[in-house]
Amino acid sequence: MAEPIRITKVPIPRPKPKDSELGFGQIFTDHMFVANFQEEKGWYDPRVEPYAPIPLDPAAAVLHYAQAVFDGLKAFRGVDGKIRLFRPQKHVERLNLSAQRLCIPPLDPELSLASLVTLVGLERDWVPRKVGTSLYIRPTIIASEAFLGVRPAKSYIYFVILSPVGAYYPEGMAPVKIKVEDRYVRASEGGLGGAKTGGNYAASLLASEEAKHGGYTQVLWLDGVHRKYLDEVGTMNFMVKIGNEIITPPLSGTILAGVTRDSSLALMRQWGLTVSERQVSIDEVVGAHRAGTLAEAWGTGTAAVISPVGELTYRGDRMAINGGRVGPVTQRLYDTIVGIQYGQAPDPHGWTVEV
Ligand SMILES: *Cc1c(COP(=O)(O)O)cnc(C)c1O
């Protein structure tokens, strides 16, 4: 039988921030979830305890060799007052897939799902109210063994922290300017691109900083071998509409299997749109722009849900997309997913889990 979750509460909960003052990832709730792993014991002592720093030996493997994975999902307070998680099973499953790639022992999916539901349930007063705001959930596993040899660690810490976050688009969805990155590479085939792990983020920072200094919001990554095929946009999956075909790169190992990507594909197929998971080259995009068939482009990810791309710059050439305005498929995806998350629209796929 599964070990029960031990709960230690703070004596006095802290005051909650105002919805209007929320940013992203700056404020954390009163409690966190923690479980430990040791080779001899497996995962043990699942517990909720007051949010606090985690003691870590300076020789802990994660600090030296980056053996760590995480995931990111959200809880929403619906217009009906109910609190819903969006596709938590899918996120828990992905955390284990990421873990497998980094030789981290998997969690019992029932335990990880229970960790999310229990912690969010306990912190329900921290879920902000305004549509667009949410409670961001960050499950993480780190290698904690104090050992400098290079091999998978023998001890790990799983923890979940929660952060109330503000609306991503307080003034409505705004298309962004993107630089097509043909110098730096985020991930290459056979590498870690398909895992949600900090190393991929470290690898992306320099390109992203240079793009920001150049006046762009983010970069569009190309494949590491040919510098030709589109991969991801920043830390989001990428979709482009050329003529009547909506194209997104296939899950070939270099890109992350986004839950928003999967949800968007399911919706568009349900709507009868032509959707392809196939390689798409930057030359095809440039050609489509010249031919006037580059209709829409957007990123998908938990943080923004949908992020419209208004302009792509490749080797100094600017390509405006849909006159820099939000396209109809982009808008429909955003409205539909957000509607399901806030209980404003029916949830025919059973994507939400009530807390
Ligand atoms: C998390 C992430 C995504 C988006 O995944 P969602 O499940 O939709 O949030 C896309 N790309 C990368 C690199 C990511 O880390």
Side-chain angles (χ1 to χ4, degrees):
M1 216 187 80
E3 204 180 338
I5 296 170
R6 213 158 43 82
I7 295 179
T8 312
K9 288 195 193 173
V10 293
I12 307 161
R14 296 201 320 282
K16 316 296 179 275
K18 289 200 188 86
D19 284 5
S20 56
E21 289 167 0
L22 293 170
F24 181 82
Q26 295 156 314
I27 299 168
F28 300 95
T29 68
D30 292 315
H31 302 88
M32 61 186 186
F33 186 95
V34 186
N36 296 84
F37 178 93
Q38 273 172 23
E39 206 175 38
E40 329 76 74
K41 295 165 102 167
W43 287 104
Y44 66 96
D45 197 14
R47 59 200 187 271
V48 172
E49 53 186 40
Y51 185 97
I54 295 176
L56 211 53
D57 193 291
V62 63
L63 301 176
H64 303 272
Y65 308 127
Q67 202 194 355
V69 293
F70 68 93
D71 218 284
L73 67 159
K74 285 175 167 179
F76 305 89
R77 193 183 293 275
V79 290
D80 52 3
K82 289 180 180 160
I83 292 170
R84 294 175 176 82
L85 304 180
F86 189 69
R87 307 191 73 183
Q89 296 93 337
K90 199 94 180 143
H91 285 276
V92 158
E93 192 183 298
R94 184 172 69 190
L95 183 64
N96 271 352
L97 291 172
S98 300
Q100 184 182 42
R101 179 63 182 81
L102 279 101
C103 298
I104 292 173
L107 286 155
D108 174 356
E110 270 178 43
L111 171 67
S112 23
L113 188 60
S115 72
L116 308 181
V117 172
T118 306
L119 187 63
V120 172
L122 198 81
E123 302 282 54
R124 55 193 313 119
D125 289 349
W126 281 94
V127 184
R129 282 162 201 283
K130 252 173 63 186
V131 168
T133 65
S134 58
L135 187 66
Y136 185 76
I137 309 170
R138 172 55 64 87
T140 307
I141 311 175
I142 59 172
S144 55
E145 187 190 358
F147 176 59
L148 292 183
V150 180
R151 58 146 173 76
K154 295 183 178 183
S155 57
Y156 298 86
I157 303 168
Y158 168 62
F159 60 87
V160 184
I161 54 175
L162 306 176
S163 174
V165 299
Y168 197 91
Y169 298 114
E171 269 115 43
M173 222 173 9
V176 293
K177 293 188 169 129
I178 298 292
K179 175 188 171 188
V180 181
E181 177 58 63
D182 61 354
R183 202 161 138 241
Y184 300 113
V185 170
R186 188 190 81 96
S188 53
E189 225 156 287
L192 294 179
K196 214 168 175 75
T197 183
N200 288 332
Y201 282 69
S204 76
L205 294 177
L206 186 57
S208 171
E209 282 305 288
E210 289 184 7
K212 280 172 196 162
H213 286 135
Y216 306 94
T217 302
Q218 256 305 347
V219 298
L220 178 61
W221 298 103
L222 299 178
D223 78 280
V225 178
H226 313 279
R227 311 291 166 93
K228 182 176 164 186
Y229 298 104
L230 312 188
D231 249 9
E232 294 201 64
V233 57
T235 57
M236 305 180 92
N237 294 117
F238 186 70
M239 300 187 172
V240 60
K241 183 166 184 271
I242 296 179
N244 282 324
E245 184 190 16
I246 294 145
I247 313 158
T248 197
L251 300 177
S252 58
T254 63
I255 71 170
L256 194 83
V259 175
T260 321
R261 174 187 182 278
D262 184 80
S263 309
S264 301
L265 291 177
L267 288 170
M268 292 189 294
R269 286 181 174 132
Q270 177 198 321
W271 297 337
L273 302 178
T274 307
V275 178
S276 311
E277 289 177 70
R278 66 164 174 89
Q279 286 194 316
V280 51
S281 71
I282 189 63
D283 299 332
E284 183 177 352
V285 172
V286 170
H289 180 254
R290 290 212 181 106
T293 55
L294 180 58
E296 294 183 52
W298 64 90
T300 69
T302 294
V305 185
I306 300 291
S307 174
V309 176
E311 191 179 286
L312 282 175
T313 300
Y314 179 53
R315 298 185 173 158
D317 285 340
R318 289 157 174 268
M319 298 178 274
I321 302 174
N322 195 38
R325 294 179 314 268
V326 180
V329 179
T330 310
Q331 187 71 52
R332 188 175 179 196
L333 278 173
Y334 179 81
D335 293 343
T336 307
I337 295 173
V338 169
I340 295 170
Q341 290 173 334
Y342 289 91
Q344 295 161 310
D347 176 17
H349 303 271
W351 282 339
T352 59
V353 171
E354 259 179 54
V355 174

